[in-house]
Amino acid sequence: MFRHHRLRICLCVLAIASTDLGASEAESAPEAPVVPAERPALPSRSESMATELARQLPSTEVIRLQASGEAFMALWRPANVAVPKGLVILLPGEGESADWPRGIGPLRRGLPDYGWHTLSVSLPDSPGLLPPATPEPEREPPAEEDGPSEAPAADSDPQATPNEAGYLPEETATAPDESTSEAVQSEPGPSTEPDEGPQLVERIDGRIDAALAHARTLQPGLIVLLGQGTGGYWAARYLQQLAPEDIRHLLLIQPRQPEGQEEPLAQLVPALKLATGDFFYQNATAARAEARARLNASRRIQHPAYHQVGLPALIDDRESEQQQLLRRVRGWLDKQP
């Protein structure tokens, strides 16, 4: 009986030792690396605005073009006359959509009534342009403890609420004399598009190429390139580099030089010696100085067809301001041979 008791004690000791050994081996075993889940890339600002426009506008106005191996959106409107005068390709500025409420949108919708087809092209974002903010998920209010908690302050302005695309409604856009990039380019942010350096220039040139190719299939007779803000710079640069023979008219609306581009507009635009309409708003000191530099450069080389128009910015009556721009642009177009 004593032997059986000793045997049981030995078996218990062995069981406890094996349990401790297994636990220590489990603790010393290396943990499996945690692989973070891949988050889908956020769409760029230009992609978000294009998607929102495609949702809002009639399908007959939205067309898809291909350039540099990627699809992009353009907005088409035919002339509302029996015999069209030609076609105007519109290039928006940095941070602007193909239907921007200042300049681009009113011109693309208004010019067809005066005999012009319009094709407004969405351009890719620059490297410093932030993608639209992703709205945070709603959080449940904290449980009340001793007394009622203070309600969070609500925004009383319904127009300041971002829409589904993550940007403010276009009615709240900055005025033409204000720099669009200052509102959307305050901090460098991640971008889903490979927009660095020469690659951005190649993609913009590719989109202008695709828009011109589409325009030529319609045989409009006269094709005019119109650029607003930085879009004016890209239009002028494209004409300087490639010099297409069927483009002899250039329109600029408050043109601006993009960051990273060394050649100033005062050297780039007059040297083209195309029929050029240069429109700028007189209330901005910097815009007046830059416009004066372009005008002086055109005079020094005796530009044959450079015409500059200074516009007063009607801040308190923006609808009249856009109608004024439409009238002046239409008047310039009608004077061209």
Side-chain angles (χ1 to χ4, degrees), residues 48-136:
S48 295
M49 289 193 292
T51 301
E52 184 69 9
L53 285 176
R55 188 181 67 83
Q56 295 174 356
L57 297 176
S59 58
T60 53
E61 295 189 20
V62 180
I63 63 174
R64 291 283 176 179
L65 301 176
Q66 290 280 339
S68 305
E70 62 180 349
F72 66 97
M73 186 196 73
L75 299 179
W76 161 256
R77 275 211 174 189
N80 298 321
V81 295
V83 182
K85 299 176 182 178
L87 186 149
V88 180
I89 296 176
L90 302 100
L91 305 179
E94 187 174 50
E96 298 176 351
S97 71
D99 195 36
W100 198 245
R102 312 283 172 77
I104 293 294
L107 289 173
R108 87 162 190 94
R109 292 188 298 271
L111 287 175
D113 290 338
Y114 300 99
W116 296 90
H117 303 304
T118 60
L119 182 64
S120 186
V121 181
S122 59
L123 296 183
D125 294 338
S126 67
L129 201 62
L130 288 171
T134 304
E136 296 182 358

Side-chain angles (χ1 to χ4, degrees), residues 38-295:
E38 293 186 3
R39 297 180 60 185
L42 291 173
S44 68
R45 180 183 175 87
S46 61
E47 288 174 341
S48 295
M49 289 193 292
T51 301
E52 184 69 9
L53 285 176
R55 188 181 67 83
Q56 295 174 356
L57 297 176
S59 58
T60 53
E61 295 189 20
V62 180
I63 63 174
R64 291 283 176 179
L65 301 176
Q66 290 280 339
S68 305
E70 62 180 349
F72 66 97
M73 186 196 73
L75 299 179
W76 161 256
R77 275 211 174 189
N80 298 321
V81 295
V83 182
K85 299 176 182 178
L87 186 149
V88 180
I89 296 176
L90 302 100
L91 305 179
E94 187 174 50
E96 298 176 351
S97 71
D99 195 36
W100 198 245
R102 312 283 172 77
I104 293 294
L107 289 173
R108 87 162 190 94
R109 292 188 298 271
L111 287 175
D113 290 338
Y114 300 99
W116 296 90
H117 303 304
T118 60
L119 182 64
S120 186
V121 181
S122 59
L123 296 183
D125 294 338
S126 67
L129 201 62
L130 288 171
T134 304
E136 296 182 358
E138 296 182 359
R139 299 178 181 178
E140 295 183 0
E144 296 184 1
E145 295 179 356
D146 297 334
S149 59
E150 295 183 358
D155 192 347
S156 59
D157 185 3
Q159 293 184 349
T161 304
N163 60 18
E164 295 178 4
Y167 55 90
L168 294 178
E170 292 189 340
E171 286 75 9
T172 64
T174 55
D177 57 297
E178 297 172 355
S179 175
T180 306
S181 62
E182 292 179 2
V184 296
Q185 200 177 357
S186 57
E187 296 179 5
S191 176
T192 60
E193 295 185 281
D195 289 341
E196 296 181 359
Q199 195 167 16
L200 172 62
V201 177
E202 292 170 3
R203 294 176 67 212
I204 291 176
D205 287 347
R207 295 195 182 190
I208 300 176
D209 271 336
L212 283 172
H214 181 78
R216 288 167 181 142
T217 62
L218 304 171
Q219 298 180 346
L222 178 65
I223 301 177
V224 180
L225 205 54
L226 182 153
Q228 176 169 280
T230 54
Y233 185 94
W234 296 124
R237 184 194 173 281
Y238 178 90
L239 295 174
Q240 178 203 53
Q241 296 292 321
L242 301 176
E245 295 182 358
D246 55 348
I247 309 297
R248 299 185 181 90
H249 299 79
L250 173 65
L251 273 166
L252 306 173
I253 311 296
Q254 193 80 337
R256 185 168 60 84
Q257 184 172 336
E259 292 187 7
Q261 297 300 309
E262 297 180 356
E263 187 169 10
L265 276 163
Q267 296 179 14
L268 179 62
V269 173
L272 296 174
K273 293 193 175 182
L274 301 171
T276 303
D278 186 346
F279 296 77
F280 70 98
Y281 286 90
Q282 297 173 325
N283 61 317
T285 304
R288 289 200 307 270
E290 293 168 1
R292 170 59 65 176
R294 295 193 297 272
L295 180 61

